[in-house]
Amino acid sequence: MQVYTIKGLVDRDQLTVKDIVNEGANDRSVVTEWYLGEELVRRDVHVMILRPIGMDGNAGDFK
Amino acid sequence: MANSAAVCTSFKVDLLNGIHAFGTTVTRGGTGADTFKAALYLATGSLGAGTTAYSATSEVSGTNYTAGGVTVTNATAPTSSGTTAFWTPSASFSWTSVTLSTAFDTCLIYNSTQSNKAVAVYTFGSQTVTAGNFTLTMPSNDSSNALLRIA
């Protein structure tokens, strides 16, 4: 299998893969870094939003 | 049974469906569903509650990224559970084989049918992408987790 990188298509066997999981205040991300030797040649990011956006719809009072 | 003050849940769903117009002039055009888009913004941007419409200012740029972002897949109509109305796009937002070298941390959803008016701003940890894929995975479409909720 070949993987698309900044060096063009590179054989998967030549690449070293590192997965990094980060958790922030709003999100959780999984980053996959692909290295050819010491050089970063591809970086994929998948972000999951953890905190949705909400609005409060409250009825007012007659005062 | 007693009366209780409340914003009607059906009204919250109606808001998401564009049914009501309180303004003195009805400016909405068309009767079909609108097209929504999602664009990415640099970490140095200043988007937030004050954002009124899509702008290319501070938008990311790079290989295989088109200004304006991607079209939001909208196959699931707004609905409600309990007293909360909610909506979530029916597919994740994806950019394929992009290189975005400058750190970005924000996604703007906006209505491209209605003059690019802003809907919501979502932030996440600062990222870069190199010749890879960037995906924003959608949460569960329920009253607690949906991407857009009116409680």
Side-chain angles (χ1 to χ4, degrees):
Chain A
M1 185 182 78
Q2 291 189 307
V3 176
Y4 176 76
T5 73
I6 59 172
K7 302 290 188 183
L9 291 171
V10 176
D11 285 336
R12 169 68 183 86
D13 294 344
Q14 293 182 260
L15 299 169
T16 303
V17 181
K18 182 163 56 172
D19 286 329
I20 306 163
V21 178
N22 295 306
E23 203 152 299
N26 297 337
D27 69 296
R28 187 172 194 268
S29 64
V30 179
V31 177
T32 302
E33 293 184 339
W34 305 72
Y35 290 88
L36 182 61
E38 298 294 316
E39 186 179 8
L40 176 68
V41 293
R42 175 174 175 141
R43 189 174 199 266
D44 298 291
V45 179
H46 303 278
V47 173
M48 288 146 278
I49 300 291
L50 295 179
R51 194 179 70 177
I53 302 291
M55 292 182 285
D56 289 327
N58 295 319
D61 296 323
F62 296 108
K63 291 180 179 175
Chain B
M1 191 72 179
N3 297 315
S4 60
V7 173
C8 301
T9 303
S10 60
F11 172 75
K12 298 173 185 175
V13 177
D14 287 347
L15 288 180
L16 293 174
N17 280 316
I19 302 299
H20 303 277
F22 290 103
T24 54
T25 304
V26 177
T27 56
R28 180 178 169 77
T31 55
D34 292 343
T35 297
F36 294 88
K37 299 191 79 170
L40 300 174
Y41 285 85
L42 301 176
T44 53
S46 56
L47 282 76
T51 299
T52 58
Y54 162 78
S55 166
T57 302
S58 298
E59 187 177 11
V60 302
S61 62
T63 304
N64 290 333
Y65 181 89
T66 302
V70 295
T71 299
V72 172
T73 304
N74 182 23
T76 307
T79 187
S80 65
S81 177
T83 58
T84 300
F86 55 90
W87 171 81
T88 300
S90 49
S92 297
F93 306 156
S94 296
W95 288 262
T96 304
S97 297
V98 290
T99 294
L100 304 171
S101 302
T102 306
F104 62 97
D105 68 354
T106 299
C107 176
L108 170 70
I109 295 180
Y110 65 95
N111 187 334
S112 67
T113 304
Q114 303 294 335
S115 306
N116 291 338
K117 290 179 179 296
V119 174
V121 176
Y122 298 88
T123 59
F124 44 83
S126 185
Q127 304 291 346
T128 60
V129 182
T130 304
N133 302 327
F134 178 72
T135 307
L136 265 175
T137 302
M138 292 300 110
S140 302
N141 188 34
D142 58 45
S143 61
S144 299
N145 300 292
L147 200 64
L148 190 59
R149 298 176 303 127
I150 304 177

